[in-house]
Amino acid sequence: MSSFEIASIPTEIAESVRKTGKAPKYGFPTHKETATGRAPCRHCLRLIRVKEEELILFTYDPFEVLGMPPLPGPVYIHAESCERRVGANSIPEEYRGRLLTFAAYGDDRELVKEMRLANGNEDEAAEKLFANPAVKYIHVRSTDAGCYLFRLDRA
Ligand SMILES: [Zn+2]
């Protein structure tokens, strides 16, 4: 049994970005282009296909409703409508074995612990962090790019 589930960015955010061409909250203009390198969509969590699919780059605060201070950064989504990935209880295949940082937050956005992964065992790392009752959720980031990927919530 897994103690966590995946949460990608809300569909309202993805749809608003596609429709308005502006970043939520900040209002910065978005950027749209055909994917040229590894670009994970933060909504469906699949990789945007290089030279085939278009992406939208925008500024996003993954703490939205979770607390202050915000930590805005660049993220991608598919330019076309896609299905939100939510509720899965293991790290998606596309992210396994990558350089990932798991930042575990507690009440009032306090950083409880950070783990840097390089060789897989993502699910075990998440279980270990959630074994600490102070941990409320985990933000998963790319260690080399620093960008926010998705959140793990307690199941
Ligand atoms: Zn997508």
Side-chain angles (χ1 to χ4, degrees):
M1 270 311 286
S2 176
S3 61
F4 67 90
E5 56 183 33
I6 309 273
S8 59
I9 67 165
T11 300
E12 309 87 82
I13 300 275
E15 282 175 357
S16 156
V17 163
R18 287 173 185 137
K19 199 169 128 203
T20 65
K22 289 190 186 335
K25 184 155 108 179
Y26 300 97
F28 302 139
T30 61
H31 176 75
K32 188 172 175 177
E33 65 178 28
T34 304
T36 55
R38 182 184 167 90
C41 173
R42 269 53 161 205
H43 185 241
C44 67
L45 300 183
R46 298 183 196 291
L47 298 180
I48 299 167
R49 291 199 303 275
V50 173
K51 294 182 186 160
E52 283 179 39
E53 292 182 312
E54 277 194 315
L55 58 78
I56 298 178
L57 175 70
F58 67 100
T59 303
Y60 179 64
D61 169 30
F63 287 103
E64 298 183 79
V65 294
L66 294 169
M68 296 285 281
L71 188 58
V75 293
Y76 304 115
I77 54 170
H78 277 110
E80 297 297 326
S81 179
C82 60
E83 194 173 331
R84 185 181 186 219
R85 179 132 29 140
V86 68
N89 52 17
S90 78
I91 303 298
E93 193 56 41
E94 294 89 331
Y95 303 87
R96 293 192 169 273
R98 313 280 311 178
L99 300 177
L100 298 177
T101 296
F102 282 15
Y105 292 93
D107 284 330
D108 200 23
R109 198 198 173 294
E110 180 198 2
L111 180 62
V112 177
K113 185 162 174 64
E114 188 175 276
M115 284 178 76
R116 299 204 188 128
L117 285 75
N119 309 306
N121 296 323
E122 294 87 0
D123 290 345
E124 294 81 353
E127 300 287 353
K128 195 184 279 185
L129 290 167
F130 277 126
N132 178 350
V135 171
K136 305 297 182 199
Y137 58 94
I138 297 170
H139 278 183
V140 178
R141 288 179 174 267
S142 148
T143 300
D144 46 358
C147 303
Y148 172 77
L149 296 169
F150 50 85
R151 192 179 69 233
L152 307 178
D153 288 330
R154 283 187 180 279

